[in-house]
Amino acid sequence: MIAAISFLVLSTLPQFVVTVETSYGALAELVSGHSRVFFGEHVQLRCSIPDGSKSIWNYLWFKGSEQLERHAEILTLQGFRSDSGAFQCQGVRDSAVGNIYTQKSPPVEINVDGGWAILQVPQHPALVGETLNITCRVRGHPRDQEVVLYKDGVEVLRESGFNPKLSLPLLSTEDQGLYTCRASWDDNRRTHSVISNDVQVNVSEVLTQPVLEVVTENVPLSADRMKLICHVQYNARPPAPPIHYFFYLDDSRLGTAMSENFDLVKRKPGLYRCKVKVRQLGLSKWSEAEAFEE
């Protein structure tokens, strides 16, 4: 990979210290444990550098704004309560011009829970139409449990047995909310009941409704043209099928399908709209109409 780099030169005579930052960032990912764990459970994070050149990197780890005294590719957390927080990593290596740094990774949030129950949801955001698999973990793993799942304080699901699984099929945006679980079991003629902390569950559309932007200033090639930009958020799981863009004036299509989200068209008064389509997923959505007048 050919990386674009920017130079920051800090000079103190008679020596020069050069810091180089790459255009690509590191990636911190969970490789062992969960993002929400009980006190005493271990968690491991790995720092990956997607430079493609197989360079030898050293690693910097951060918790919030604090740099940690850890420099290995793998960061192991012992599950102390002080291990709760947002963790990031950064790559650094030597070069002829000085140290080269990657950008910091997106943060990974770790929560160490001192309670008796934890509601665990997948790391990746949930998407409309998918099934969300949830686990209500109980400290000590009692064999026979009854587990109740609540959304915004209202019961939505109840299961029983050993390590019961909770599933929400065919998700919609209405499934967003604060979830918690309660587990109950009998032991030595006594009934025990514990409840987890709340966990926010977000559900995203695979394809959001597009928004059309009409740009009339600083348009290249000709003064009688304008630029149509179709903004949309596309959240399909990788490898994501291709998305195509269509532009319309008064319900008449302008040109052919575009793989880019913009087109240059002649300035004409009327109502403009754009449509986005993912043929392999059977998805298509229209923008609201935008009026243009000379």
Side-chain angles (χ1 to χ4, degrees):
M1 173 185 288
I2 300 176
I5 56 177
S6 57
F7 292 85
L8 173 64
V9 180
L10 307 173
S11 61
T12 57
L13 294 176
Q15 294 181 335
F16 293 90
V17 177
V18 180
T19 299
V20 182
E21 186 175 278
T22 67
S23 63
Y24 50 84
L27 177 64
E29 56 184 340
L30 194 65
V31 294
S32 176
H34 302 275
S35 61
R36 188 177 293 269
V37 294
F38 288 121
F39 178 79
E41 292 184 329
H42 291 191
V43 174
Q44 286 190 322
L45 302 173
R46 175 187 290 126
C47 189
S48 303
I49 312 296
D51 69 340
S53 62
K54 297 183 179 179
S55 301
I56 297 176
W57 291 88
N58 295 311
Y59 303 91
L60 306 176
W61 286 96
F62 302 85
K63 179 188 174 189
S65 59
E66 175 191 1
Q67 183 174 336
L68 305 177
E69 294 297 324
R70 315 282 181 86
H71 302 284
E73 178 186 8
I74 301 292
L75 174 68
T76 300
L77 304 176
Q78 303 298 324
F80 299 123
R81 295 187 183 182
S82 59
D83 287 333
S84 291
F87 291 84
Q88 294 175 280
C89 70
Q90 186 178 31
V92 58
R93 65 181 176 88
D94 295 331
S95 75
V97 295
N99 286 337
I100 296 179
Y101 292 84
T102 68
Q103 298 177 30
K104 286 184 181 179
S105 69
V108 176
E109 190 76 30
I110 301 296
N111 292 283
V112 179
D113 197 311
W116 283 89
I118 290 178
L119 183 65
Q120 289 184 333
V121 299
Q123 282 277 298
H124 56 73
L127 295 179
V128 168
E130 292 184 336
T131 295
L132 181 65
N133 294 312
I134 302 173
T135 301
C136 187
R137 291 183 62 216
V138 179
R139 189 189 296 272
H141 305 289
R143 292 195 59 83
D144 293 314
Q145 309 170 37
E146 181 182 65
V147 174
V148 183
L149 181 68
Y150 300 90
K151 172 182 175 285
D152 300 326
V154 178
E155 179 180 334
V156 294
L157 194 61
R158 183 183 293 255
E159 297 288 347
S160 59
F162 174 65
N163 194 23
K165 301 299 182 183
L166 305 170
S167 296
L168 298 177
L170 297 174
L171 290 174
S172 71
T173 54
E174 294 181 356
D175 291 314
Q176 291 190 137
L178 281 175
Y179 285 78
T180 188
C181 67
R182 177 174 56 83
S184 303
W185 69 97
D186 294 328
D187 184 31
N188 292 329
R189 299 182 180 180
R190 296 180 59 188
T191 298
H192 303 267
S193 184
V194 295
I195 192 164
S196 71
N197 289 322
D198 292 335
V199 175
Q200 176 67 40
V201 172
N202 296 313
V203 181
S204 300
E205 295 274 4
V206 177
L207 195 66
T208 62
Q209 182 181 14
V211 176
L212 179 65
E213 180 185 6
V214 180
V215 180
T216 58
E217 297 181 358
N218 301 319
V219 177
L221 299 179
S222 175
D224 68 344
R225 290 186 173 269
M226 61 185 184
K227 188 175 187 179
L228 304 179
I229 306 175
C230 194
H231 299 281
V232 69
Q233 187 174 346
Y234 182 36
N235 299 311
R237 304 282 182 218
I243 182 172
H244 291 96
Y245 301 85
F246 304 83
F247 296 92
Y248 292 79
L249 169 59
D250 295 331
D251 295 327
S252 295
R253 197 167 82 183
L254 302 173
T256 59
M258 309 286 291
S259 58
E260 301 287 346
N261 72 328
F262 65 89
D263 195 9
L264 294 176
V265 300
K266 289 185 177 181
R267 296 192 186 203
K268 291 182 180 180
L271 290 176
Y272 288 84
R273 292 198 299 167
C274 70
K275 181 176 75 170
V276 291
K277 188 172 185 178
V278 183
R279 192 182 305 275
Q280 288 89 329
L281 300 181
L283 296 175
S284 65
K285 289 196 175 182
W286 288 85
S287 72
E288 297 290 340
E290 290 289 334
F292 173 74
E293 297 180 0
E294 289 286 359

